[in-house]
Amino acid sequence: MPKRELHRFHVQAPLKLGKRRGRKLVIRLVNHTHRPSQSAKGELGGGNVEASQPSISTALVPLPKRRFQIRRWRWTLLWLSVFSIMGVAVTSGVLLLTKLPPPINCRRISALSADGDRLYCARAAAASGKLDQLVAAIGLVQHWPEGHPLYPEAQRQMTAWSQAILALAQQKIYEGNPKEAIAIASKIPFSSPIYAEARTKITTWQQHLQRAEDITRQFKDALKVQGFQKASLLITQLSQLNQDSWTLSRVDSLLKQLAAEKEAWQQLEEARELASSNSLEPLMAAVTLSTKINPNSYVKAQVLEEQSRWSRSLVQMATNLFQQQDFTGVVRVLEKIPVTTPQYREAQDWIRLSRASETAKKDNILALVDALAAVRPIDSKSPVHKLTSSTVTLWQSQLQDLSQLQLANLFASTGQRTGLASAIDQAARIALGRPQRQRAQTLIAQWRKEIQLIDDRNTLVSAQQLAQGGTIVELKGAVELARQIKLGQPQRIEAQTEIAKWTRQIQALEDQPILDLAEAFAQRRDLMAAISTAGQIRSNRPLYPEAQKAIANWVAQVQTAQDRPILDAAAALAAQGRFDAAIATASQIPPERALYPQAQAAISTWAAQKATSQGEARSAPFESN
């Protein structure tokens, strides 16, 4: 019989009966592998008793088992739901008890807001310490009556806020701004506990400010008439008025203004001293110094008057420089004239004309066009207009001539003889007395040289082509043709070079038969006839070096044939040990002979052999002993 497998579970589950609550339910599961469809029998048995409580042991068959599991899950879900509801309730209660009330929105505070909220927002605004925030804070609580519950606290806060406003006003006093200080202190309302103190300070500041403004007005009146001593006394009075920092700041400002006025007056006096010489450079220095004077000073009117007088002198001097065509000097002088003077526009017209004249000196079409454009802004009412008109007429004439020369240059740029002839014809049309007449004549001379160069080049090319035949007749014809290029013509040097080359070719052709004849004599071993024939070629002929080289070779052969017996005889004597006789015989060959080097080498060898033999003869007796 197959065995049954029993699984024991201890499940803690609530029972319906009160008397069974707290007991354990013991479930035995029987697994029958051979008879799954058969119902299992259950048996209840006693189980282990824990904590002295009874336990129930239940054996379930498969069908009751499914019902029990469904029942068990229902109870589990029920208890989970109960515990969840209880947890949510407890959590909600805790949150409600610990949650803070919503914050006060001070941006939406109004007269309908609660007084506590208004006081809270007033404190929050005043905490920044800014003037507008402090004023706004006071505005929220200043109208509360004495019977108001928050009136004491509001008065205490208003006192602190008003003192803060008064401190800001006092800070403006330290910074030298009494008007701003008065305006700030005036924001303290009548309901403030320190209103009387604020009004007292405002009254004091206003009195001091009025007195200071009176002294300042008298100080400026004194400066206008250069009453520097009176101005100093007024500064002393202002410094004795009170010791507020704004007063000290104003005293310092007046002292600086007094120093600036003294400096401006001194600069004007120095400029006047420079201009008193009425010469160019001192006048320019005076104008430059006057432009450095403070434009806010009271001497500015006198400065403008002096600048106008000095500028008139500078314009007159610049006119003289223009007549001398020192256009750069004109610009350098007139650039010093200030824009505030009546002569400034005239000076600018002179500068335009001078710069345009300097540009026109380049003497080309673009420069003249630029010059004409530069003087176009000069007005017809300008004092420079008359001179400008005459100058423009001259530039237009130059431009017309340059245009004609430009056309001539265009013809000449072809490089052909016909184009150069047309260019000469165009340039010759510029009449005598015109601005570009001299330049036209220069170009005509240049183009004529170019035409001559073309003619000479053609002649030389013809001569070179004739010389390519290489015969004496053709070469002589090329020489005669090249001699047509006369002295001073562009191709003269090249022609003379070619003539010299062809002349040498002619001479070589004339002397070559003589040299060939000499070579023929040499081949027949008639060396003396060969030497005599080659010697007919003169030293100024092109084949002379070659002839001299052949002659030297033939002479060496003759000398070798004559001196060889002497050298052979000397060698024979040396072979017999007669070194002295051999040396004497070889010495008969003179230095200019062909075998002289060979003879000298043999003499050196024999002298060494002689010395060796003599040494051996002297050492022989000692060896025998």
Side-chain angles (χ1 to χ4, degrees):
M1 184 176 181
K3 297 182 179 180
R4 297 181 180 176
E5 295 181 2
L6 300 179
H7 298 276
R8 192 182 187 94
F9 292 88
H10 293 272
V11 179
Q12 185 77 28
L15 299 179
K16 292 182 179 180
L17 300 178
K19 61 180 181 179
R20 296 181 179 178
R21 187 171 299 166
R23 297 181 180 180
K24 290 183 178 179
L25 177 64
V26 180
I27 303 172
R28 290 196 182 105
L29 300 180
V30 180
N31 185 11
H32 200 297
T33 57
H34 296 281
R35 291 181 296 180
S37 60
Q38 184 179 357
S39 299
K41 295 181 179 180
E43 59 181 11
L44 295 176
N48 295 332
V49 180
E50 296 181 3
S52 302
Q53 292 180 358
S55 63
I56 301 174
S57 178
T58 307
L60 301 176
V61 294
L63 184 59
K65 176 181 177 181
R66 179 180 297 177
R67 294 176 180 175
F68 175 76
Q69 289 178 347
I70 294 173
R71 191 181 301 113
R72 183 183 63 181
W73 282 109
R74 289 177 179 175
W75 281 103
T76 302
L77 291 174
L78 176 62
W79 282 105
L80 287 175
S81 301
V82 172
F83 287 136
S84 299
I85 294 171
M86 293 177 64
V88 170
V90 171
T91 303
S92 300
V94 171
L95 291 176
L96 290 174
L97 292 176
T98 58
K99 185 177 181 181
L100 296 175
I104 301 172
N105 189 357
C106 293
R107 293 183 179 180
R108 298 182 179 179
I109 201 71
S110 64
L112 300 178
S113 300
D115 292 340
D117 293 347
R118 295 173 68 186
L119 181 59
Y120 171 81
C121 292
R123 288 174 177 173
S128 65
K130 297 180 180 180
L131 176 62
D132 54 346
Q133 299 291 336
L134 291 170
V135 173
I138 293 176
L140 290 175
V141 300
Q142 65 178 347
H143 299 296
W144 288 355
E146 294 184 3
H148 195 284
L150 296 178
Y151 179 79
E153 178 63 19
Q155 288 295 305
R156 188 177 66 83
Q157 295 293 337
M158 283 180 60
T159 301
W161 300 337
S162 300
Q163 289 175 349
I165 293 175
L166 200 58
L168 292 176
Q170 189 66 48
Q171 182 64 33
K172 292 297 180 180
I173 292 294
Y174 294 149
E175 295 174 359
N177 296 319
K179 292 183 178 180
E180 293 186 19
I182 293 172
I184 291 173
S186 299
K187 295 182 180 297
I188 298 176
F190 178 78
S191 58
S192 174
I194 63 169
Y195 174 77
E197 179 184 353
R199 294 309 303 175
T200 300
K201 286 185 174 293
I202 289 173
T203 301
T204 303
W205 293 341
Q206 287 176 340
Q207 292 174 354
H208 291 172
L209 180 60
Q210 183 62 38
R211 178 57 180 160
E213 288 179 350
D214 293 340
I215 294 175
T216 302
R217 191 180 305 106
Q218 297 176 20
F219 170 81
K220 292 181 178 180
D221 293 339
L223 289 183
K224 292 178 181 179
V225 295
Q226 288 80 45
F228 300 131
Q229 185 175 1
K230 181 179 179 181
S232 299
L233 294 176
L234 290 171
I235 292 175
T236 303
Q237 293 179 13
L238 181 62
S239 63
Q240 295 174 352
L241 182 61
N242 58 64
Q243 296 300 319
D244 288 338
S245 60
W246 71 270
T247 305
L248 299 178
S249 175
R250 179 164 294 191
V251 168
D252 184 62
S253 176
L254 295 183
L255 286 172
K256 291 180 180 179
Q257 187 176 1
L258 177 60
E261 288 293 333
K262 288 182 178 180
E263 182 181 4
W265 180 258
Q266 183 178 0
Q267 288 176 337
L268 179 59
E269 290 296 320
E270 291 178 1
R272 286 172 174 172
E273 182 66 23
L274 288 171
S276 61
S277 64
N278 201 27
S279 56
L280 178 60
E281 295 298 331
L283 267 175
M284 292 172 60
V287 172
T288 302
L289 181 59
S290 67
T291 57
K292 297 179 180 179
I293 298 176
N294 186 2
N296 298 322
S297 61
Y298 291 108
V299 300
K300 188 61 179 179
Q302 300 180 43
V303 171
L304 294 176
E305 181 180 355
E306 296 290 354
Q307 283 180 349
S308 178
R309 183 167 60 87
W310 299 336
S311 297
R312 283 195 298 271
S313 300
L314 288 179
V315 169
Q316 184 60 40
M317 293 177 180
T319 305
N320 297 332
L321 291 176
F322 186 87
Q323 294 174 355
Q324 301 170 11
Q325 294 193 356
D326 184 6
F327 305 123
T328 304
V330 173
V331 174
R332 183 178 66 89
V333 171
L334 296 183
E335 281 182 339
K336 302 295 182 180
I337 295 181
V339 68
T340 54
T341 60
Q343 293 77 22
Y344 177 75
R345 294 189 61 181
E346 181 181 356
Q348 293 301 308
D349 290 340
W350 277 109
I351 289 174
R352 290 189 184 96
L353 182 59
S354 300
R355 287 176 174 168
S357 300
E358 186 68 25
T359 302
K361 287 171 64 176
K362 297 178 181 179
D363 202 19
N364 57 65
I365 293 178
L366 292 178
L368 288 172
V369 170
D370 291 341
L372 290 171
V375 298
R376 193 172 293 117
I378 297 177
D379 190 75
S380 58
K381 297 180 181 180
S382 173
V384 193
H385 179 70
K386 184 176 181 180
L387 179 60
T388 303
S389 298
S390 60
T391 306
V392 165
T393 302
L394 176 61
W395 290 345
Q396 288 175 345
S397 300
Q398 291 179 344
L399 183 60
Q400 182 180 356
D401 293 347
L402 284 174
S403 299
Q404 195 162 353
L405 288 179
Q406 185 71 19
L407 180 60
N409 281 317
L410 182 61
F411 289 142
S413 63
T414 61
Q416 303 297 324
R417 195 181 192 283
T418 306
L420 291 169
S422 300
I424 292 174
D425 182 63
Q426 287 290 332
R429 296 179 183 178
I430 298 178
L432 186 65
R434 298 284 292 182
Q436 297 296 322
R437 171 69 178 181
Q438 183 177 359
R439 183 177 180 182
Q441 293 300 312
T442 303
L443 290 175
I444 289 173
Q446 176 185 344
W447 294 332
R448 284 175 178 171
K449 286 183 179 181
E450 292 181 7
I451 291 176
Q452 186 65 54
L453 176 63
I454 292 173
D455 293 342
D456 292 347
R457 188 179 293 116
N458 292 334
T459 301
L460 189 58
V461 168
S462 299
Q464 290 171 344
Q465 291 175 352
L466 182 60
Q468 289 178 358
T471 65
I472 294 177
V473 176
E474 291 172 332
L475 289 170
K476 288 183 178 180
V479 169
E480 292 299 325
L481 191 58
R483 283 176 180 171
Q484 296 178 8
I485 301 175
K486 304 301 181 181
L487 184 65
Q489 294 180 4
Q491 292 294 315
R492 173 69 177 180
I493 296 177
E494 187 176 354
Q496 291 300 311
T497 303
E498 293 291 342
I499 289 173
K501 181 181 70 172
W502 297 332
T503 301
R504 292 181 67 84
Q505 291 179 4
I506 293 171
Q507 293 173 353
L509 291 174
E510 291 175 346
D511 293 341
Q512 188 64 45
I514 299 174
L515 189 58
D516 292 341
L517 180 60
E519 290 286 349
F521 284 133
Q523 290 178 1
R524 295 198 298 267
R525 307 305 299 173
D526 189 357
L527 297 178
M528 297 306 295
I531 293 171
S532 176
T533 303
Q536 297 177 12
I537 299 175
R538 296 188 301 274
S539 59
N540 59 344
R541 310 285 281 188
L543 293 183
Y544 178 75
E546 186 177 354
Q548 290 299 310
K549 182 178 179 181
I551 289 172
N553 184 25
W554 298 330
V555 169
Q557 293 181 19
V558 172
Q559 292 177 354
T560 300
Q562 293 174 350
D563 294 340
R564 176 60 64 184
I566 298 173
L567 191 59
D568 291 343
L573 291 173
Q576 297 173 7
R578 298 168 62 187
F579 296 113
D580 292 334
I583 293 172
T585 301
S587 298
Q588 295 176 11
I589 300 174
E592 67 275 4
R593 306 290 284 183
L595 292 180
Y596 178 75
Q598 187 175 356
Q600 291 298 312
I603 289 172
S604 299
T605 302
W606 297 334
Q609 292 177 356
K610 176 184 175 181
T612 302
S613 62
Q614 289 178 354
E616 291 177 353
R618 285 195 298 270
S619 63
F622 294 100
E623 292 177 358
S624 62
N625 292 334

